[in-house]
Amino acid sequence: MKAIVIHEHGGLDKLKYEEVDKPKISPGEVLIQVKASSLNHLDIFVRNGIPGIKIPLPHILGSDCSGIVAEVGSEVRQVKVGDRVTVNPGRWCGRCEFCVAGEQSLCPYFQIMGEHVDGAWAEFVKVPEESVHPIPGGLSFEEAAAFPLVFLTAWRMLITRAALKPGETVLIIGIGGGVAMAAMQIAKYAGAKVIVTSGSQEKLQKALSLGADVGINHREQDFAAEIAKLTGKRGVDVVVDSVGADTWQKCILSLAKGGRLVTCGATSGPNPKEDLLRIFWKQLSILGSTMGNQREFNELLRAFDTGRLKPIIDQVYPLAEAAKALQRLEEQAQFGKIVLTVS
Ligand SMILES: [Zn+2]
């Protein structure tokens, strides 16, 4: 089969579109004929190499996919050949205290497809049965490949970790990125008011047309000062951040008393100057979040079934042009998800 493979870590030139062996499934696994995959920032980290994480090389990239079940293992019961499916990219042991409690993303052996194990930028991918789900809400293959990682991440951040309530105000930093876009839709779905920031006026306009209530250009304005103005100095209830160092202090400043900051990444750096005075005086909660558990993935599928969530697709490329697609992501030129189709 054809796949996008890296043999060593490095730049875009390390991506090779080449012939590899089709995966062989074990009794509890499912072989999926991939129809579409999508790109995540994780793909760039994996391609570059992540300090402290050993990725077996050669390695197939890609954490998200949708497709048609081509083959099932002898012990598979819930999935059958021909099913149109999407995949939860998480992998877990199923036996530790966290897995038994239903908190798979806290599993000490937690892995992500495309990071620790071969991914889905390929014609076929093998997946454990429990990670395979019917495509919800009449989504296309492209849409069904665009939502799992980012929507699952944003769902756990807002619904579980921040326990977002209707009528609350959420500030989302850096609209246009996959998790931020998913967070915007989920916050609206949960009945919250949504304020987004971006350095691009075009991205702000698009976000407003998709349901954001307020857009702040963080290149032209101090977003913490704007939040103070917009909320009568009260601040927002929840901040969703994955930028880290560059925005952290302003995120803390933007929170109301008792507010919650949820972080799922640190694209600008992991060590911001911390503001402990404000954290204890305002009684803030700083919440970390990574991916999500099976219950959250199922809740997300039901939310898609209502038709009120819809992955926003930026551009679609054929699998062979993955390097070109990844370049667009690296340049942050995208608004929504970049998708790869597999013929
Ligand atoms: Zn476990």
Side-chain angles (χ1 to χ4, degrees), residues 202-275:
E202 195 191 335
K203 288 185 181 182
L204 289 172
Q205 283 308 324
K206 282 189 190 165
L208 291 169
S209 74
L210 288 166
D213 296 288
V214 180
I216 301 173
N217 189 321
H218 60 225
R219 285 234 170 85
E220 291 168 7
Q221 290 166 301
D222 175 342
F223 75 79
E226 282 305 302
I227 294 290
K229 249 189 262 172
L230 286 165
T231 61
K233 292 192 179 167
R234 176 188 179 273
V236 299
D237 301 289
V238 174
V239 174
V240 172
D241 181 57
S242 61
V243 178
D246 286 355
T247 48
W248 190 259
Q249 283 191 302
K250 283 184 181 171
C251 290
I252 298 280
L253 267 176
S254 301
L255 280 165
K257 288 209 164 184
R260 296 92 84 196
L261 194 163
V262 208
T263 168
C264 72
T267 50
S268 68
N271 292 308
K273 191 163 177 288
E274 200 51 270
D275 193 346

Side-chain angles (χ1 to χ4, degrees), residues 12-338:
L12 284 167
D13 60 323
K14 304 300 179 200
L15 265 58
K16 306 292 178 204
Y17 179 63
E18 62 186 31
E19 192 68 30
V20 297
D21 290 340
K22 203 163 138 180
K24 289 189 178 61
I25 56 171
S26 58
E29 288 181 323
V30 171
L31 186 73
I32 297 170
Q33 184 193 359
V34 178
K35 301 298 279 186
S37 316
S38 74
L39 277 63
N40 292 288
H41 270 280
L42 180 60
D43 304 315
I44 298 171
F45 295 135
V46 172
R47 190 204 64 202
N48 288 338
I50 306 170
I53 295 182
K54 183 119 184 72
I55 296 162
L57 296 171
H59 176 76
I60 302 173
L61 291 168
S63 298
D64 277 323
C65 75
S66 65
I68 296 170
V69 174
E71 205 182 308
V72 298
S74 57
E75 290 168 10
V76 170
R77 297 287 174 268
Q78 311 288 331
V79 180
K80 57 183 194 310
V81 171
D83 287 354
R84 292 174 81 251
V85 295
T86 185
V87 175
N88 178 346
R91 298 284 180 272
W92 49 87
C93 79
R95 294 182 294 276
C96 72
E97 59 174 310
F98 299 105
C99 286
V100 169
E103 282 291 6
Q104 288 85 5
S105 67
L106 295 176
C107 176
Y109 308 100
F110 191 75
Q111 298 185 321
I112 301 175
M113 176 168 75
E115 180 180 5
H116 313 82
V117 294
D118 272 338
W121 292 3
E123 288 178 308
F124 293 89
V125 66
K126 65 172 183 177
V127 179
E129 177 186 18
E130 61 268 29
S131 301
V132 179
H133 302 266
I135 292 177
L139 297 184
S140 67
F141 281 119
E142 285 81 3
E143 290 167 331
F147 83 82
L149 189 144
V150 291
F151 271 82
L152 178 61
T153 300
W155 186 272
R156 182 171 174 85
M157 289 177 87
L158 284 172
I159 305 298
T160 307
R161 301 292 282 142
L164 182 63
K165 291 184 276 297
E168 289 192 314
T169 302
V170 180
L171 170 64
I172 299 170
I173 307 298
I175 203 67
V179 172
M181 295 287 292
M184 177 177 83
Q185 287 194 33
I186 291 167
K188 292 306 292 181
Y189 176 84
K193 183 179 173 186
V194 176
I195 304 172
V196 299
T197 80
S198 171
S200 151
Q201 210 57 38
E202 195 191 335
K203 288 185 181 182
L204 289 172
Q205 283 308 324
K206 282 189 190 165
L208 291 169
S209 74
L210 288 166
D213 296 288
V214 180
I216 301 173
N217 189 321
H218 60 225
R219 285 234 170 85
E220 291 168 7
Q221 290 166 301
D222 175 342
F223 75 79
E226 282 305 302
I227 294 290
K229 249 189 262 172
L230 286 165
T231 61
K233 292 192 179 167
R234 176 188 179 273
V236 299
D237 301 289
V238 174
V239 174
V240 172
D241 181 57
S242 61
V243 178
D246 286 355
T247 48
W248 190 259
Q249 283 191 302
K250 283 184 181 171
C251 290
I252 298 280
L253 267 176
S254 301
L255 280 165
K257 288 209 164 184
R260 296 92 84 196
L261 194 163
V262 208
T263 168
C264 72
T267 50
S268 68
N271 292 308
K273 191 163 177 288
E274 200 51 270
D275 193 346
L276 294 177
L277 284 177
R278 279 200 175 81
I279 290 175
F280 71 72
W281 181 246
K282 288 167 77 175
Q283 303 195 44
L284 304 179
S285 299
I286 309 296
L287 303 164
S289 202
T290 290
M291 299 288 285
N293 61 36
Q294 283 280 69
R295 176 181 50 77
E296 290 156 341
F297 199 82
N298 283 320
E299 288 171 357
L300 180 59
L301 294 175
R302 286 199 291 275
F304 271 108
D305 274 331
T306 68
R308 289 175 55 209
L309 300 179
K310 203 164 176 62
I312 305 301
I313 292 178
D314 172 67
Q315 280 196 24
V316 180
Y317 295 82
L319 179 65
E321 290 178 25
K324 207 165 135 190
L326 201 57
Q327 184 174 8
R328 183 169 171 82
L329 184 69
E330 237 168 339
E331 289 166 355
Q332 294 183 19
Q334 90 286 5
F335 184 87
K337 293 287 287 181
I338 303 171

